[in-house]
Amino acid sequence: MAIATSSIPQSGPLECCYSTGPSQGNNFNHRVQCDACPCCRDTCNNANSCTSCQKKLNATAMPRMGSSPNLRSLFSIICSGESPENSSSAQNTYTMCQLKRHNHAESAWILVGDTIYDATPYIRSHPGGTETILRKSGGAADCTEDMRFHSGRARKEWKKFKVGTLVACPRQSSS
């Protein structure tokens, strides 16, 4: 039985097909709109195929063109975000929108104060178990107290796995 697509309500362009998570395999049958934050460098789980996220990635990869406006500068103006002049220092900065995507065994980032660490290499060997890290990954909790619990040697080891620094999303700072 064929379904008439004209009777299906459309809320806008369907731009992103994505898996519900890395453990679900490549389930690209469920089409939804992109869930990336429009005001920061956050991209959806299928950024390689998502039109909106591709535009965003291309805009951040564009070389500066003197004073002429480009997508990057227009994007920052629209979202009241950082100016393009400050963007080079933003390479190792991440918003909470980006951090929240790293909350699974294949990519577990933890937040300690405003510093982000990649805990993925330790998940399977952590004495407290996998869930100990996953429960707080993706910015679900600040792990400052947890880091103080560890030995000085362990804290020194963590410095090798620093991903970057947390910054405010322009959407959050403008509201």
Side-chain angles (χ1 to χ4, degrees):
M1 178 174 139
I3 299 174
T5 56
S6 60
S7 65
I8 300 172
Q10 297 285 326
S11 61
L14 298 175
E15 298 182 341
C16 181
C17 298
Y18 73 100
S19 160
T20 56
S23 62
Q24 301 294 320
N26 291 328
N27 177 15
F28 295 104
N29 297 325
H30 183 59
R31 292 185 67 80
V32 297
Q33 285 187 316
C34 176
D35 67 345
C37 175
C39 293
C40 69
R41 291 177 288 145
D42 180 39
T43 56
C44 69
N45 291 335
N46 195 34
N48 293 331
S49 299
C50 174
T51 307
S52 295
C53 291
Q54 276 300 306
K55 288 177 185 175
K56 197 181 293 190
L57 291 170
N58 290 339
T60 59
M62 291 176 91
R64 294 187 205 276
M65 299 180 191
S67 60
S68 63
N70 59 30
L71 275 173
R72 180 182 216 167
S73 61
L74 292 173
F75 182 76
S76 67
I77 292 167
I78 291 168
C79 292
S80 303
E82 64 189 26
S83 67
E85 291 75 32
N86 296 332
S87 62
S88 64
S89 63
Q91 274 186 312
N92 292 329
T93 60
Y94 299 90
T95 64
M96 188 58 81
C97 305
Q98 293 170 292
L99 177 59
K100 71 180 179 180
R101 296 187 183 276
H102 298 273
N103 64 350
H104 49 84
E106 289 77 19
S107 182
W109 290 6
I110 60 170
L111 182 64
V112 179
D114 67 347
T115 305
I116 302 167
Y117 296 96
D118 185 357
T120 311
Y122 290 105
I123 285 183
R124 287 171 179 77
S125 62
H126 189 268
T130 302
E131 278 303 312
T132 306
I133 293 175
L134 290 179
R135 188 173 42 242
K136 295 187 178 185
S137 67
D142 186 333
C143 298
T144 302
E145 288 301 314
D146 299 287
M147 286 299 258
R148 289 186 186 135
F149 169 79
H150 290 84
S151 68
R153 181 176 164 210
R155 287 192 301 261
K156 187 176 179 181
E157 183 73 19
W158 270 108
K159 290 182 183 186
K160 297 176 188 175
F161 296 96
K162 179 179 177 181
V163 174
T165 305
L166 184 70
V167 295
C169 171
R171 176 188 284 185
Q172 295 162 340
S173 59
S174 66
S175 51

